[in-house]
Amino acid sequence: MASEPLSCPFCGYETEDSYTITLHVEQYHTDDSPFQVKDTSPLLQLPNQHRSNTLSDYYASIKESQDEWVRCPQEECGEEVLLEELNEHLDLHYAEKMSSEDDASVTRSNMASSASSLYSFVHTHSSSHLPQDSQQQSLPHRLESPPNSSGKTGLRRSIKAVSSAAKQPQPSNKRHDSPNSNNLRLGKAELGPYAFEKQMPAWLHAQLSTGGKTTLTTRISPTGQLYTTRTTENEIPGLLPLLARLLASDPSVAIASLCHPSVQHISKLPREGGFCGYRNAQMLISYLRGVRAPGWDAFGGGGGGGGNAGRGGRGEKEWEDEQVPGVLELQEGIEAAWDRGLYALGREQTGGIRGTRKYIGTPEVAALLAGLGVEFEARGFHDDERGRSGGRTAVAQLVDFVEEYFERAAVDGADVKVRKTLMPPIYLQRPGHSLTIVGLEVQKDGSKNLLVFDPMYVVSKEMRRLKDGLNRRPQATAPLLRMYRRGMANLSRYRDFETIELTAPAPPSPAWDDV
């Protein structure tokens, strides 16, 4: 016998589920509710038919949609992702929330149980970066049958297509903004849902120009001297020494290697969307700045968002110089490289990127580095055409390369569990997303994980407190490390990868003991 529908006393919204009606009242009719969606930016507005219904309706509609790009329903994200990538994207949001001990509403037990009442979706395959007990239960944020779930995803554009053109520079000043203006012009499949955008929304341009919120903090050094540090909300320095401590204390880890500790974790700003390529380029530049490698000062001072000249006042120069250039500055740097004929086919393919939300990839990051005079090597890894039986998969090639890369580094002590190297980070492009590789770990069972900084997800409050010394010891290492691990099971879904390795030797710089 069907239960009687429950009605909202404020607006008349009806549902048969008691939890759903409670959440509805919290979201839409309760002041200062932790469940309330307060942002009104156009990027976050779901279609009208979804605003007062559950996310079940949202998922049902996108499963019927012909559009391969969908907007993440997480209120602070705003990312447009491929429909076939939605499950993995939401898995990491799930893990991101579970890694925070602050919000009791997202703890493992009640997030799984309460969400199951609201969404009614089942977990259909395990994810290596989620905890074992979560793999055994339903993960209600998932689609039941993700598109292309039985096949592998490949890169939709490659640096190989532009590298030959880069060898003989031919300045390209043309800009193509329509689908039919140039037979080299790429579309939404390669550049994302805003492939033919002429200008990003004014509110987003202003947010990127201003950058993340910065805070000046005065501290006392161990020698008793006062010093001032600038903290930007989406730029987190000093995270690698903390990862080294967590890896050393994790009993499942046999050996791990980490890159130079000057690399910052840089995440996107709330609701900015898909600027991951730029954020990973910023992480490479944070290394260049940390070691004062060639090209580190090409942009001068700049913030994590836009970094426009003149932001800082007198007396702030010393802090400004330590910040990475913003997204808008990086766009100018790529355009300037194209003007010089460096990887200029990228302009023909994209129609120009200045002031737009077009996705960038390995070709644009290569153009940026070449324009800065930074030495690098780009590599591609592809599934052998013979398949698993006769050849090597792309992920196996990638992991072997990363392992050999860190083995080249000299470290103190042959028997150390965590090898603290001075190697640069590696830019990694996989289908639909890019990451920064900061290390590799080998588990005691023989499995291997890449250690990455993913700009799509923020550093948890617990990690920030541990880094700043406000917490002495974590309650558990596995939940904190989950966001930084990408295993073979996760990466085997892709048949292509590209990397950019910085090859120039870095000058002497502060190392692990000085961070």
Side-chain angles (χ1 to χ4, degrees):
M1 179 177 179
S3 59
E4 290 293 329
L6 302 173
S7 178
C8 173
F10 300 98
C11 68
Y13 166 71
E14 292 187 349
T15 179
E16 294 182 357
D17 184 75
S18 60
Y19 178 83
T20 301
I21 197 68
T22 301
L23 186 62
H24 168 83
V25 173
E26 285 278 357
Q27 285 182 319
Y28 298 101
H29 305 297
T30 304
D31 293 337
D32 300 323
S33 168
F35 300 98
Q36 191 175 32
V37 180
K38 299 179 181 179
D39 187 87
T40 57
S41 93
L43 189 62
L44 291 181
Q45 294 298 326
L46 294 177
N48 286 330
Q49 64 267 30
H50 301 311
R51 288 184 191 164
S52 61
N53 294 327
T54 68
L55 288 180
S56 300
D57 301 321
Y58 170 70
Y59 285 128
S61 68
I62 63 174
K63 287 172 69 176
E64 297 173 358
S65 171
Q66 298 300 312
D67 193 347
E68 62 179 345
W69 294 96
V70 294
R71 182 168 300 165
C72 173
Q74 294 287 330
E75 62 181 88
E76 289 298 314
C77 182
E79 184 86 12
E80 296 273 359
V81 299
L82 287 168
L83 183 56
E84 64 192 41
E85 297 289 328
L86 183 60
N87 272 350
E88 182 193 3
H89 180 82
L90 294 176
D91 279 350
L92 286 170
H93 275 312
Y94 181 87
E96 180 184 31
K97 290 182 177 181
M98 285 172 56
S99 68
S100 173
E101 69 171 13
D102 284 69
D103 189 351
S105 67
V106 294
T107 58
R108 183 178 309 171
S109 59
N110 65 20
M111 182 173 182
S113 61
S114 64
S116 63
S117 300
L118 180 60
Y119 306 136
S120 302
F121 288 102
V122 296
H123 182 221
T124 56
H125 61 275
S126 64
S127 300
S128 61
H129 50 273
L130 291 176
Q132 187 65 32
D133 55 344
S134 291
Q135 294 179 25
Q136 305 300 324
Q137 57 184 285
S138 294
L139 292 187
H141 56 269
R142 289 177 140 258
L143 289 171
E144 292 183 9
S145 300
N148 195 33
S149 60
S150 60
K152 286 191 173 185
T153 305
L155 288 172
R156 302 196 177 194
R157 63 185 300 236
S158 170
I159 192 173
K160 185 177 181 180
V162 299
S163 59
S164 58
K167 295 178 181 178
Q168 298 182 357
Q170 296 292 328
S172 173
N173 296 309
K174 298 179 182 179
R175 178 167 177 151
H176 304 280
D177 287 318
S178 64
N180 301 317
S181 62
N182 178 13
N183 59 7
L184 297 176
R185 184 71 161 85
L186 302 177
K188 289 184 177 182
E190 301 85 9
L191 305 177
Y194 306 107
F196 301 103
E197 179 179 68
K198 294 188 186 319
Q199 187 67 43
M200 70 178 70
W203 70 266
L204 180 56
H205 190 280
Q207 175 176 290
L208 293 174
S209 180
T210 302
K213 179 182 178 181
T214 59
T215 304
L216 296 179
T217 305
T218 301
R219 301 179 183 273
I220 302 178
S221 71
T223 60
Q225 295 181 325
L226 293 177
Y227 66 98
T228 302
T229 61
R230 176 192 291 271
T231 303
T232 304
E233 66 173 319
N234 65 321
E235 299 176 20
I236 309 298
L239 201 60
L240 279 161
L242 173 57
L243 286 181
R245 286 166 43 201
L246 295 175
L247 290 165
S249 63
D250 190 328
S252 69
V253 177
I255 189 170
S257 298
L258 293 173
C259 71
H260 196 285
S262 65
V263 182
Q264 298 183 30
H265 184 289
I266 300 177
S267 60
K268 64 181 186 178
L269 297 170
R271 301 170 294 279
E272 75 174 30
F275 290 99
C276 292
Y278 297 100
R279 297 305 185 188
N280 285 295
Q282 287 177 320
M283 291 192 238
L284 297 185
I285 293 174
S286 73
Y287 161 79
L288 297 176
R289 291 202 164 195
V291 301
R292 299 301 192 257
W296 75 271
D297 57 348
F299 289 95
N308 293 335
R311 250 184 74 200
R314 184 176 180 179
E316 293 186 1
K317 182 66 175 174
E318 59 182 301
W319 301 304
E320 289 285 347
D321 282 346
E322 298 305 314
Q323 292 185 282
V324 297
V327 170
L328 302 181
E329 283 186 289
L330 296 183
Q331 289 186 338
E332 293 297 330
I334 294 168
E335 292 276 356
W338 287 339
D339 289 341
R340 295 167 53 191
L342 301 171
Y343 297 87
L345 185 61
R347 174 174 280 154
E348 303 296 313
Q349 293 179 333
T350 64
I353 59 172
R354 182 182 286 114
T356 73
R357 290 174 287 179
K358 299 171 188 176
Y359 291 177
I360 66 169
T362 316
E364 287 70 47
V365 176
L368 176 70
L369 295 175
L372 295 177
V374 176
E375 297 180 23
F376 66 92
E377 181 175 355
R379 301 172 186 264
F381 306 90
H382 313 283
D383 273 2
D384 191 289
E385 293 182 358
R386 295 170 294 177
R388 287 182 176 274
S389 59
R392 300 177 67 225
T393 61
V395 64
Q397 299 171 50
L398 171 66
V399 172
D400 285 351
F401 160 70
V402 174
E403 188 170 26
E404 293 168 3
Y405 175 84
F406 283 107
E407 285 178 351
R408 301 202 305 256
V411 295
D412 295 331
D415 298 326
V416 294
K417 180 177 179 179
V418 179
R419 303 175 71 250
K420 302 175 182 178
T421 80
L422 300 181
M423 300 294 283
I426 302 171
Y427 175 91
L428 173 63
Q429 183 73 52
R430 58 96 162 150
H433 189 41
S434 58
L435 308 154
T436 297
I437 299 174
V438 297
L440 180 135
E441 69 170 2
V442 180
Q443 298 270 306
K444 289 182 178 178
D445 63 4
S447 61
K448 300 174 183 179
N449 295 317
L450 297 183
L451 300 172
V452 303
F453 283 171
D454 189 336
M456 193 176 294
Y457 306 99
V458 301
V459 177
S460 69
K461 292 180 180 179
E462 170 72 357
M463 288 289 285
R464 292 175 188 243
R465 284 199 296 265
L466 287 167
K467 181 186 74 70
D468 294 336
L470 300 179
N471 283 8
R472 295 302 182 108
R473 185 177 300 175
Q475 293 183 351
T477 58
L480 296 175
L481 288 171
R482 188 179 307 120
M483 295 302 301
Y484 304 94
R485 288 170 164 157
R486 298 295 184 274
M488 298 283 282
N490 172 268
L491 297 171
S492 63
R493 300 174 53 243
Y494 309 107
R495 62 173 179 264
D496 302 298
F497 300 94
E498 290 180 338
T499 61
I500 291 180
E501 169 193 355
L502 305 181
T503 57
S509 64
W512 284 88
D513 292 338
D514 300 310
V515 175

